[in-house]
Structure formats: C-alpha cells, structure tokens
Amino acid sequence: MALSSKPATAASPASRFASGRSRDVICLGRLAVDLYAQQVGARLEDVSTFAKYLGGSSANIAFGCARLGLASAMLTRVGDDHMGRFLTETLANEGCDVSHVRIDDARLTGLVLLGLKDRDTFPLVFYRENCADMAVDENDFDEAFIASSKALLITGTHFSTEQVNRTSRRALDCARRNQVRTVLDIDYRPVLWGLTGKADGETRFVASEGVTAHLQRFLPLFDLIIGTEEEFSIAGGDTDLVKALAAVRALTPATLVVKRGPMGCQIIDGAVPASLDGVPVQGGVQVEVLNVLGAGDAFASGFLSGWLRDEPLEACARAANASGALVVSRHGCAPAMPTPAELDYFLREAKADPQRMRRPDRDATLARLHRVTPARAVHAEVLGFAFDHRNQFFDLAQQTGAEESRIHTLKGLFVEAVAQTEAALGLQGRIGVLIDDRYGQDALNAATGRGWWIGRPVELPGSVPLVFDHGRSIGTTLMNWPRDHVAKCLVQFHPDEPIEQRLEQEAQLRALYDATQASGHELLLEVIPPKNANLPMASDTVYRALKRLYNIGIYPEWWKLEQMEASQWQAIDALIAERDPYCRGVVLLGLSAGVEQLKEGFRAAAASATCRGFTVGRTIFHEPSHAWLAGQIDDAGLIARVRDIFETLIASWRAARSESAAPTGGARNVNQEQAA
C-alpha cells in the first residue's frame, strides 16, 4: 500500500485541524483488561486480590480524552466474552464512541496482570496470545470513519505484527488523504515485540535495530510524536537522546514531545539543538508516586485535551504533566484519570501550596471531585418500591403462621412485579428498588444487572444509636457488594438529641461515609427524626439534621426524607444547592402512609428541584404480603395487587410533577434532566 508523507493540511487559519469534524480523536491500538494487584508492596507471587480496570495504552488514552471532554472514539477489537463487554461498556459509559470496537468471535479479549512492588517496580504479565485487539483488520473501518475525526492516534504496539501493521498503515493512509492530524504515542513494550521473556512485561527498553528500522518507516506520517527518553531512543536508534531526536527529526517535521519523568517534558517544534539544555522544560507538579504505571497514557490524554482545542503547546504540556501527576498518585490508570474540574483544582492549589499538593491523594476536596465529577448514569427520576424491611416481614410471617423461608420467595415475586411494571409502562432507567440481603439475597441477585437503581440497607433495624447489621466493620460488608448497589442507611437522627448519643450517631455515619468513599459505592441516608416526646419537633428539624451532617463533612449521594411542606422542600433545595451541588437527589419515603396521604406528599414535593421520586414500602407490600403469606391469594394475585398500588403511586407522582411544571413551563432542573 502506498504511503504518502505529505503533511496534513486544510486546517482553518485559526486551527491546527480541518473543520467540520464530528470526532476529536480516534484511538487505534490495545484494548484489554488490567488486573491491578491490591496489595501494594507485595510480590506478584504473593498478591491475593486484584482490581479490574480498563487497560491498553490506546484505550486508556481514549478513556482519558473522553473524561476530559473530548469526542473520542476507539478502533480495535474485543472478544465475544464478558471482559470484552466490560471494556466496551466502560468506554461507552465514559462517553467514548465504541461503534468501531469490533467483536471477534474467534479470539478472547487481552488481559494483563500487574503488581505494585514499589514506586518504580511493577511486575507485569501480558496474556496476549492471539488476542482480539491484535487482530483488528483494515476492513474493520472505512475511510469515512477516519475522515470524521480531527486526529488519529496510534500506539507503537500496533506496528509490531504484520496484521496490526497493515491495519495501521491503511488508517494512516486514510488520515493523510483527509487532512486528519496523526499522533504516535511510541509506547515501546519490548515484550510485545518479542524481545524479552513472555513474563517480562516490566522491562521498558531493549535496543533493537530491527524495531528501530521498522518504526522509522512510519515516522514521516505523523504530525505529533510523544515518547519517553527510552522510547525516542528506540525510534531514533541511539541511546544518546539528542542523537536519537536528531535522527527522528531527519525523518519527520512532527512536533516532538519528550516526557522527562518528574521534571516534566520538553517540546521540540523545529530543529533539534545540539543540547537539550536550551529547550525549555515544561515543569509539572512534584508528587509522591504510588506507581508510574499509566502515567504516560494520562500524559497523552492531558496533552491532547489541549492540543485538540488549539491551545498553545505550553498549556498542553501543563495539562499533560498534571494529568500524569494525578494518575501516578492513585491506584490504576483509567479510573485514576482526572476530569477538567480536578485538573483546574489541582493546578490552582499546587501553584498556591506546592508542598501540600505533593500528596494529592490526601486532599479531601480533590478526592471528592474525582468521585463526583466523572460521567455517571443519570437517575433523573426514581420510581421505587422498597422491600428491604426485615422485622416487618418477620412479623407478617408470625402473624400468618407462615414459614420464615417463604419471605425469600415473596421478595422474589416483588422483583417480578416490578419487572412487569417496568415493561408495561416503559420505565427503563427509572425503576428503583430497596432490597435487603437477609431475606432478599435471591431477589437482589435477580434485580442486579437490569439497569435498576438498587439500594440495600446496612443498619440493624430499629437501632438507636445506629448499629450496622453485619458488625462494626462496614467496609468489609461493602467489599462483597456489586459496585452499582447503593448503601442505604436509615438513621433516627435529631439535631437536638443528647450530645453523647448524637456524637455516637455521627461517628457511625462517618465510618459508613468513609467506607463508601473507599469502596466506590454511592450512599443513601434515610434521615428520620425520632418520635421522642423529649425532643422538640419543628418544621425545620429535618433541614437542621441535614445541615448538621453537611457541617461534619458527610456528603451522601442521596437523601431519603419523609413528607414535608412545600416551604421546607424549598429550604432543602437551597441547602443542597449551597453545600453539595453534586448531590444526586432526594427520594421520598412512605412511613406506612395511605395512598391518599402519599399523594398529598407528592404534591408538596412536586416543585422541588432535588426530589427525584419515591421509594415506598409498606404502603405497597403490607396488605398483599399478608394475604399471600396467609394463603388467601396465589403468586399471580400477589403480583397483580403489588403492581396496582405501585403503578397508582407512579401515576400520582407523575401527575403531581406535571401539574407543578405547567405554570412555569417545566423550567426546573429536574425536569430538564428528565427530558434529556
């Protein structure tokens, strides 16, 4: 195939790029699963557990670019397997275009095992024998796809075999014909070129005249080349960095970005000088390193986030260095990638106090931004059935003389009822359930994976002060949960309760909050003031309870609150807007209220900007459950009765919302979210 070395042109005068492109960057290369050792400091031989992340250099860059707000796309293959689906879903959830991630029926998705022995030692084993991403074919895309992008990025591994070499050549040829800027991240992995033992993925440099000669055939086709000192040494064929860069420059006019580790980077956009001392060093923020794995992919993502927006090269370098610094301070690569909000905060704070930012992993604000600013599934409306109750179902079994084991079956039937409601009313993405694991583990298993919002309780029912259901180590409990389950905690909390009890309650809530921060689960706090004659009850009691919890640094993703007057909803909205604009919202609880009473509560909450819906329990399940446990109705009868009440509440909530929206044209934020 003929390769043109003609530089890309036809960019507008104010831009590096051709106009009218729907994508910012297409990334061609590795897409695999990374299994990161969770025991930092251990030999890989001694590691016992791993965290599963998206991996592969090109995929990490596509992910990082998407997180930084670019329209990125991935061009590769995955196997027709569970890991392949995990990877495509992860990319898609981040906003990356996966339309050209082909499914390979004949090969499995690639896999990597990684250990973190110390800051500079990371045993790395590639399981990539005949894997899917190395089988990406030139017929997997057409020229129009490449032409739809401002830029095409290829990482070095995809020149290492005849198959991927041929595919990369065609993609480059399409790019050059269509004024698509081309980017090479050298990403030299000797093991993937067959230069080391199969288990030696850690070695980053082995001199090879063959690899150098092969890469140099393609260097003229790139507009931007990114690499470490060692990577430019392999590209230039010399261990002397200046000589290597000069050899690269003799082949290409590309902008050369040399990563210099903790120093930052140097950018050479013209002739290579006799010494690099005269090339300005674009310095980065000095941080304590957890591990260097993924730093280069983060660097490339950060650089491209500026470059593709036509920012000056110095600004591109600043974003690149900051992105790399944040990733080396965290576990993993893709999930450690920063958002624009994180970068802005990190750079601002590092400029003000560089010493404090040497440990970005200890900065609470940065940790919170990393948790709440990446793309998340939107739950603009939560129509929820709560049957996480335990004591109430035990009492129902006792009252009816039913075996306790029948409660498990009962909760499974509730899942079926909810599924039927979802299908009948077209409520995909809006269904919520609260289910316990004492009587409802089978129901939880059945509900998981359907796209439902799922909460499950952690509190011992009725405990005051708060006690956790499975012991004091709440983090151990969460460790075994699916990541998309929401930790729900009912706490009887009053801002005026005796100081000793309040402090104990707050300590428990702090432990729970910290545990969810570590585990990655969202947190729902159900706050109910205790009905104690010795404690004052005012209309603003719930408001003050939430304010107190915000004051001590607890920011749950969700609140579950009882019915209130419209004026108190306004106050709650204002409090959340002030203290936690990233709060996911509020759901209404039922407290055994009748349907008509709940309708009144819906109307009062309808104008709220933060109330997303309801999770009602006993109002729905009590009467049908009693009849079923007593043998008065069969399974179909139970499902029909549950559906009737649940769907009545759904209709009432939506009617109240519609009535509230009508006078103002539906201008509230929540309605905008629903429309989206």
Side-chain angles (χ1 to χ4, degrees):
M1 181 181 295
L3 297 178
S4 169
S5 61
K6 180 182 177 183
T9 58
S12 66
S15 174
R16 301 182 176 103
F17 309 101
S19 60
R21 305 301 165 95
S22 59
R23 298 177 175 90
D24 290 313
V25 61
I26 296 169
C27 299
L28 169 60
R30 286 188 284 126
L31 173 59
V33 171
D34 281 353
L35 295 180
Y36 266 76
Q38 292 184 298
Q39 289 74 48
V40 177
R43 302 186 310 157
L44 193 53
E45 293 87 336
D46 300 325
V47 168
S48 57
T49 58
F50 296 84
K52 182 181 70 174
Y53 301 137
L54 174 140
S57 181
S58 291
N60 283 334
I61 295 169
F63 182 99
C65 286
R67 179 161 286 187
L68 287 168
L70 296 176
S72 67
M74 192 70 204
L75 173 57
T76 191
R77 288 188 180 190
V78 294
D80 186 14
D81 52 46
H82 312 77
M83 296 299 100
R85 290 186 287 276
F86 159 72
L87 294 171
T88 54
E89 289 172 11
T90 300
L91 284 171
N93 290 339
E94 202 62 35
C96 180
D97 177 1
V98 294
S99 62
H100 284 68
V101 178
R102 306 304 189 189
I103 308 301
D104 192 319
D105 296 330
R107 299 169 180 86
L108 292 173
T109 303
L111 179 70
V112 186
L113 293 180
L114 310 98
L116 304 176
K117 183 66 181 72
D118 55 46
R119 291 183 177 90
D120 301 305
T121 308
F122 38 90
L124 187 61
V125 184
F126 289 91
Y127 289 82
R128 304 189 57 81
E129 296 291 330
N130 195 32
C131 62
D133 62 7
M134 295 298 287
V136 62
D137 189 83
E138 57 185 315
N139 296 313
D140 287 347
F141 61 93
D142 58 21
E143 188 159 334
F145 173 64
I146 302 297
S148 70
S149 185
K150 292 180 181 177
L152 168 71
L153 174 137
I154 303 178
T155 53
T157 302
H158 269 57
F159 294 106
S160 65
T161 71
E162 180 55 34
Q163 173 73 24
V164 294
N165 182 70
R166 185 170 58 250
T167 303
S168 298
R169 289 174 60 162
R170 179 169 182 261
L172 282 167
D173 199 33
C174 292
R176 306 304 291 188
R177 284 198 299 268
N178 292 279
Q179 297 80 51
V180 176
R181 295 291 182 182
T182 49
V183 184
L184 172 66
D185 188 322
I186 301 172
D187 184 41
Y188 182 43
R189 303 289 182 133
V191 67
L192 300 181
W193 290 83
L195 301 177
T196 67
K198 289 184 178 296
D200 183 9
E202 185 178 353
T203 297
R204 301 306 293 263
F205 182 76
V206 173
S208 170
E209 293 181 359
V211 173
T212 297
H214 186 64
L215 287 175
Q216 288 185 349
R217 295 174 58 199
F218 300 95
L219 295 182
L221 305 178
F222 288 99
D223 300 305
L224 174 67
I225 301 175
I226 303 171
T228 63
E229 297 176 45
E230 294 84 1
E231 287 168 345
F232 274 106
S233 290
I234 194 68
D238 203 305
T239 54
D240 182 287
L241 180 58
V242 173
K243 292 180 179 178
L245 289 168
V248 171
R249 173 60 75 233
L251 295 167
T252 175
T255 299
L256 309 179
V257 183
V258 187
K259 296 179 287 186
R260 304 298 301 273
M263 292 172 51
C265 66
Q266 291 173 288
I267 301 173
I268 302 173
D269 207 21
V272 176
S275 169
L276 293 184
D277 293 343
V279 179
V281 176
Q282 308 297 327
V285 180
Q286 300 295 309
V287 299
E288 294 287 332
V289 176
L290 172 63
N291 84 102
V292 298
L293 289 170
D297 300 337
F299 180 98
S301 301
F303 195 93
L304 291 174
S305 74
W307 191 70
L308 287 159
R309 294 182 172 106
D310 286 308
E311 294 180 6
L313 294 177
E314 294 76 13
C316 300
R318 188 161 52 250
N321 288 328
S323 296
L326 285 172
V327 167
V328 300
S329 71
R330 295 167 172 168
H331 196 267
C333 178
M337 292 284 188
T339 64
E342 290 178 76
L343 279 187
D344 291 345
Y345 174 83
F346 178 60
L347 288 168
R348 183 174 65 252
E349 294 301 308
K351 183 178 181 180
D353 190 349
Q355 189 60 35
R356 182 171 70 84
M357 275 298 142
R358 287 189 65 88
R359 290 298 303 269
D361 57 310
R362 293 181 176 177
D363 186 271
T365 300
L366 189 59
R368 176 146 178 80
L369 288 172
H370 187 62
R371 179 178 174 89
V372 300
T373 57
R376 299 181 289 177
V378 175
H379 295 284
E381 187 177 42
V382 178
L383 308 171
F385 178 18
F387 48 97
D388 58 319
H389 308 66
R390 287 140 288 170
N391 292 352
Q392 291 86 345
F393 281 101
F394 178 82
D395 291 342
L396 280 169
Q398 292 293 298
Q399 294 166 16
T400 58
E403 294 289 335
E404 192 175 353
S405 60
R406 296 195 70 201
I407 302 173
H408 300 265
T409 304
L410 177 63
K411 295 200 174 190
L413 293 171
F414 291 159
V415 172
E416 176 58 29
V418 173
Q420 290 184 18
T421 291
E422 177 188 44
L425 302 183
L427 297 177
Q428 288 72 22
R430 301 180 181 276
I431 287 293
V433 287
L434 293 176
I435 312 175
D436 66 295
D437 58 13
R438 183 184 300 178
Y439 297 123
Q441 186 61 62
D442 291 341
L444 274 171
N445 297 343
T448 301
R450 296 173 180 262
W452 295 355
W453 181 94
I454 299 174
R456 53 194 290 186
V458 298
E459 79 282 354
L460 184 69
S463 59
V464 183
L466 176 66
V467 175
F468 298 126
D469 195 19
H470 295 294
R472 295 183 63 85
S473 181
I474 183 62
T476 304
T477 299
L478 296 178
M479 186 171 62
N480 298 316
W481 286 17
R483 182 64 62 86
D484 58 348
H485 287 190
V486 177
K488 169 255 174 183
C489 182
L490 189 162
V491 58
Q492 297 186 49
F493 185 85
H494 196 296
D496 300 322
E497 61 193 3
I499 185 68
E500 296 84 0
Q501 179 171 305
R502 182 168 59 79
L503 291 176
E504 185 172 351
Q505 296 267 69
E506 291 172 357
Q508 287 288 81
L509 290 174
R510 166 56 64 179
L512 172 60
Y513 180 72
D514 290 345
T516 58
Q517 300 303 292
S519 70
H521 294 90
E522 293 188 352
L523 174 62
L524 166 74
L525 285 186
E526 180 175 352
V527 180
I528 301 178
K531 305 302 188 282
N532 188 323
N534 297 321
L535 294 173
M537 288 298 297
S539 60
D540 67 344
T541 298
V542 172
Y543 169 88
R544 291 176 54 232
L546 269 59
K547 188 174 183 178
R548 171 63 189 174
L549 295 175
Y550 278 138
N551 286 346
I552 63 174
I554 294 176
Y555 299 88
E557 281 76 15
W558 299 90
W559 298 100
K560 186 178 180 184
L561 307 176
E562 59 188 358
Q563 300 176 57
M564 292 178 284
E565 297 175 356
S567 60
Q568 284 305 304
W569 278 113
Q570 293 175 5
I572 294 290
D573 287 347
L575 178 66
I576 292 174
E578 175 190 356
R579 296 299 187 88
D580 186 16
Y582 297 107
C583 178
R584 306 274 265 159
V586 181
V587 290
L588 274 167
L589 57 87
L591 283 181
S592 298
V595 171
E596 292 304 314
Q597 187 179 347
L598 286 176
K599 288 180 180 180
E600 288 297 320
F602 290 171
R603 283 190 282 270
S608 168
T610 57
C611 188
R612 301 290 186 258
F614 62 88
T615 54
V616 171
R618 279 167 288 183
T619 305
I620 300 173
F621 72 68
H622 187 271
E623 186 277 330
S625 296
H626 187 282
W628 185 85
L629 288 168
Q632 298 168 358
I633 58 174
D634 60 8
D635 295 357
L638 172 85
I639 290 172
R641 291 194 190 184
V642 165
R643 284 189 58 188
D644 181 62
I645 304 170
F646 186 32
E647 291 172 18
T648 296
L649 293 177
I650 291 171
S652 298
W653 168 256
R654 291 189 147 188
R657 267 308 207 210
S658 297
E659 292 169 7
S660 176
T664 60
R668 299 187 316 275
N669 180 51
V670 66
N671 287 333
Q672 293 170 359
E673 290 181 345
Q674 290 174 354

